[in-house]
Amino acid sequence: MPQPPVVLGIETSCDETAAAVVDGARRIRANVVLSQLEDHRPYGGVVPEIAARAHVLHLDGLIERAMAEAGIGFDDLSAIAATAGPGLIGGVMVGLTTGKALAAACGKPLIAVNHLEAHALTARLTDDVAFPYLLLLVSGGHCQLLSVEGVGRYRRLGTTIDDAIGEAFDKTAKLLGFDYPGGPAVEKAARSGNAKRFAFPRPLITRDDCNFSFAGLKTAVLHAVRELERQGSVTAQDRQDIAASFQAAAGDVIVDRTRRAMAHMPASGGLVRLVVAGGVAANTYLRERLTKLCAEQGGVFTAPPIPLCTDNAAMIAWAGVERLQLGLIDTLDAPARARWPLDPAATAA
Amino acid sequence: MDGWPEGALQTGMGSSPPVPVPAYRTLMLPDLQATARLAAALARVARKGDCITLTGDLGAGKTAFARFFIHAARGRHDDVASPTFNLVLVYAYPAITIWHFDLYRLRTPEETFELGVEDALAEGIALIEWPDRLGPYLPDDRLDITLETMSEDSRAVTLQAGPSWRDRLGHLDLA
């Protein structure tokens, strides 16, 4: 029996520097993310690894560490996969150039991976989900609904027309005086709050399409905070109530848009499968709402483990495995791309 | 601010008569439509190499202003998402390329080095939210737009024009 392919994945497209080794038998042999390493805890998720030089500084060491954890040498690899976009161009170039250099030096194929495609395919690594499925990608920079019809075959059903949902969480946290990243802080405060106290807007909820909007919700939170400040002080209970009311509104928007998108999906065996990915997929309230939605609609809900929902290199390596198995190999002049929408018909990534 | 005289200033080149142009003015924008009209008026006179900064609190409408500007420059309503997380989103149009920056997440001016602010100014227009993050690297000749929330819909907007903007603003009907 032939050995399953083994792929090294490299991710440097935004704040995270990461390296991982994944094989065709869906085994994650190593998965190293800089901000999650104990010795980098002081920076963990606080100072974004924005500068390309930060990626340069750490990437070689992370690759070495991933290869050592996997217990293999470069000769054992079937291919090298690196994020080629979309993202911050300096960071993308560091990872992609490193991947190209390794591919050239080891005589292995290079696979230039779309970061969004890697998020989209993660549920196939973790749960062996069959095509087609509906992907809800929710993160600090993205808020999209995609019909995932095959490797390289995506149809965008909806996207945000202004802020991404993770940004709405972060900005609400900022207004409430919580630390960055604010998503987990808002979720925690919301648990002790009254979600009915503030009637925040549910933007676009009546619209026929599957698009999102969160700027108006963020502004409504701002006005609620300012109004409380005018009346006196903002108490801990006020903050918890605002957090709960905000999260409920955001949840209603996500559920309504996702429900509409589910109606556009071809049902395989009578069931629509919904997959969630991206950093906001770590929010347990949203996971509960989506689980309930799927139960109501007769759908199946899949949420990969949280460390594989946030940015990581295992998903890049897995996308590499999928593409390698289809013979989708790139040449060493593959470009780094700041913008790279999954759906060619889409006007913005 | 150094080198930013307030009030009337004599400008004008060659044969055209000098026109007194204020370097600094404040307008009231009663609603979102007024904001859209101002953004469109500025987009009509904007050109390659322009640096336009957008300052204001969270929710003041910086990204909304940028969206109206980009829609007007393009002549159609493309998606214009918030660049907060990505730091920069680029709109490469046939007539002009617009780089929409949001430096909110940055801590030091040096972190902006790889974002391509210089490239933006060499090949198109830079719209920059949270420009204070650029510190000493902010270009001198620019248009500073400050938005202040007056009520839910209305905004006070202050335009502060660098040398290359004074003429252009003077010829705009911004009332």
Side-chain angles (χ1 to χ4, degrees), chain B residues 60-118:
Chain B
K62 300 181 293 298
T63 301
F65 194 98
R67 181 175 300 115
F68 289 132
F69 183 98
I70 293 166
H71 285 172
R74 176 58 170 146
R76 74 170 191 225
H77 288 196
D78 283 351
D79 292 354
V80 176
S82 163
T84 301
F85 188 77
N86 300 69
L87 301 168
V88 55
L89 292 173
V90 182
Y91 301 86
Y93 294 140
I96 190 82
T97 296
I98 302 171
W99 296 51
H100 183 193
F101 295 92
D102 184 335
L103 309 180
Y104 180 72
R105 300 198 303 135
L106 301 188
R107 299 254 157 50
T108 67
E110 285 70 29
E111 284 180 306
T112 63
F113 284 177
E114 72 174 84
L115 292 182
V117 178
E118 285 168 357

Side-chain angles (χ1 to χ4, degrees), chain A residues 46-266:
Chain A
V46 180
V47 176
E49 293 288 342
I50 282 162
R53 66 183 174 282
H55 291 300
V56 170
L57 205 60
H58 299 296
L59 185 57
D60 287 1
L62 286 179
I63 291 171
E64 260 176 57
R65 198 156 168 162
M67 294 297 287
E69 277 183 27
I72 58 169
F74 288 107
D75 283 347
D76 302 314
L77 291 172
S78 313
I80 289 150
T83 303
L88 209 50
I89 198 70
V92 173
M93 280 167 66
V94 170
L96 183 60
T97 306
T98 304
K100 286 175 179 178
L102 281 173
C106 308
K108 304 288 181 183
L110 170 80
I111 298 160
V113 173
N114 180 311
H115 177 91
L116 302 176
E117 171 165 60
H119 273 302
L121 297 176
T122 299
R124 292 169 55 76
L125 164 65
T126 58
D127 296 79
D128 202 4
V129 176
F131 299 121
Y133 52 89
L134 176 65
L135 177 78
L136 171 66
L137 178 58
V138 278
S139 68
H142 299 282
C143 193
Q144 304 189 356
L145 281 159
L146 291 161
S147 170
V148 180
E149 291 159 6
V151 174
R153 288 175 51 213
Y154 308 92
R155 196 157 47 91
R156 197 175 85 177
L157 301 174
T159 189
T160 181
I161 59 167
D162 43 53
D163 298 358
I165 182 169
E167 180 180 345
F169 267 91
D170 278 337
K171 288 191 171 163
T172 294
K174 172 100 179 158
L175 289 168
L176 295 176
F178 302 151
D179 286 338
Y180 182 92
V186 170
E187 185 182 0
K188 185 159 173 266
R191 275 189 218 120
S192 321
N194 173 7
K196 296 207 166 79
R197 179 165 159 205
F198 296 92
F200 290 141
R202 272 77 170 154
L204 305 189
I205 205 159
T206 53
R207 283 243 308 243
D208 225 10
D209 58 30
C210 303
N211 287 335
F212 301 90
S213 165
F214 291 103
L217 176 54
K218 171 193 74 187
T219 306
V221 169
L222 170 78
H223 290 304
V225 173
R226 294 284 178 268
E227 185 54 34
L228 287 168
E229 283 170 353
R230 254 195 298 278
Q231 292 170 10
S233 63
V234 186
T235 66
Q237 187 61 53
D238 292 335
R239 284 184 233 283
Q240 287 160 0
D241 292 346
I242 288 174
S245 302
F246 160 79
Q247 188 171 257
D252 283 353
V253 173
I254 292 285
V255 165
D256 176 79
R257 311 281 81 197
T258 306
R259 182 191 291 117
R260 272 172 206 271
M262 287 174 86
H264 291 283
M265 289 296 295

